[in-house]
Amino acid sequence: FLANDLDMLTLFPGFIQRGFSENVIYPHLALGLVYFYPLSEVNDQNSSVGLASGPFIMVSRTAYEDVGTWRALRTEITEDIALAVAVKARGRRLMALSSNDLVRTREFANVAEVCQFWKRTFYGALGKSVGKLFRLTASYTALTLLFLLMIFCAMLYAAGKGTLPTNLLFVLSATAMAAVIVPFSVFLHNQNGNWAYGLT
């Protein structure tokens, strides 16, 4: 915080324990959010993009008072992100980093709890934007259709009914899926998760 002369520092936490939700569902939703808030832009002092993680926020008193404290943010659905945006809007220095388990939070009790958390997060973070929600939904829909296409072409090949076009489609869809699965597996490994969950 001091070495980088920051006004605000936020750390993304790890989990005390990791189960299916923390290895599969939560990271995908987190990456969906980062799609709209690239950390390269969040940490660029010349960019207006702001993002924060509620479990760990360190902010200087002067920056906190400059944005109007929580009183100015009390009506925000995602007040942590609103604080980050307000800090950046005033030309102050923000940095968002992975905590590498220096900060840890409890795991989610079930999938419904994960969905409840991200419903609130996306609603506030995407600024109630139908366009952003559509882009996010389209990305996951395309990924699902791509996976189904790969399986369908593989089944045709296994049944001896593969043709040159279907075989080519299988190679292209499998390559595209690998381009998603490999980075996701590396991401999970770097977050102290099991890389094999990337296959899910």
Side-chain angles (χ1 to χ4, degrees):
F1 189 91
L2 295 174
N4 290 282
D5 193 25
L6 299 178
D7 295 293
M8 179 173 166
L9 171 68
T10 184
L11 299 178
F12 301 107
F15 292 97
I16 294 170
Q17 292 181 329
R18 297 181 70 100
F20 179 81
S21 297
E22 293 76 28
N23 277 301
V24 178
I25 301 171
Y26 184 93
H28 257 297
L29 295 172
L31 290 172
L33 185 63
V34 173
Y35 172 74
F36 294 102
Y37 296 88
L39 292 185
S40 59
E41 293 184 27
V42 172
N43 292 331
D44 180 357
Q45 306 312 319
N46 297 316
S47 168
S48 62
V49 176
L51 181 65
S53 178
F56 186 97
I57 295 175
M58 181 184 289
V59 61
S60 70
R61 182 176 183 135
T62 54
Y64 184 60
E65 291 177 344
D66 188 28
V67 300
T69 71
W70 289 116
R71 288 189 182 90
L73 308 169
R74 68 185 182 276
T75 60
E76 297 290 341
I77 297 292
T78 49
E79 71 288 341
D80 48 2
I81 296 175
L83 174 63
V85 171
V87 166
K88 290 290 286 289
R90 284 161 178 76
R92 293 184 172 273
R93 296 176 61 83
L94 163 70
M95 188 173 284
L97 302 170
S98 170
S99 71
N100 293 321
D101 283 346
L102 179 67
V103 176
R104 295 192 297 165
T105 186
R106 71 172 181 84
E107 65 279 8
F108 291 96
N110 49 51
V111 173
E113 197 174 278
V114 180
C115 294
Q116 183 67 25
F117 171 82
W118 281 105
K119 181 172 71 171
R120 169 187 172 272
T121 301
F122 277 126
Y123 182 77
L126 299 185
K128 307 171 192 174
S129 168
V130 175
K132 287 182 178 179
L133 189 59
F134 176 78
R135 281 164 55 196
L136 189 66
T137 304
S139 295
Y140 282 112
T141 301
L143 186 63
T144 303
L145 292 175
L146 191 65
F147 174 73
L148 293 175
L149 176 65
M150 182 185 76
I151 296 300
F152 176 72
C153 292
M155 289 172 64
L156 286 178
Y157 178 78
K161 297 178 180 178
T163 63
L164 181 60
T166 59
N167 292 345
L168 184 59
L169 277 175
F170 171 75
V171 171
L172 290 174
S173 58
T175 302
M177 289 304 299
V180 173
I181 292 169
V182 172
F184 186 56
S185 296
V186 170
F187 172 77
L188 287 174
H189 177 73
N190 291 340
Q191 298 299 313
N192 298 320
N194 187 333
W195 67 268
Y197 277 104
L199 296 172
T200 60

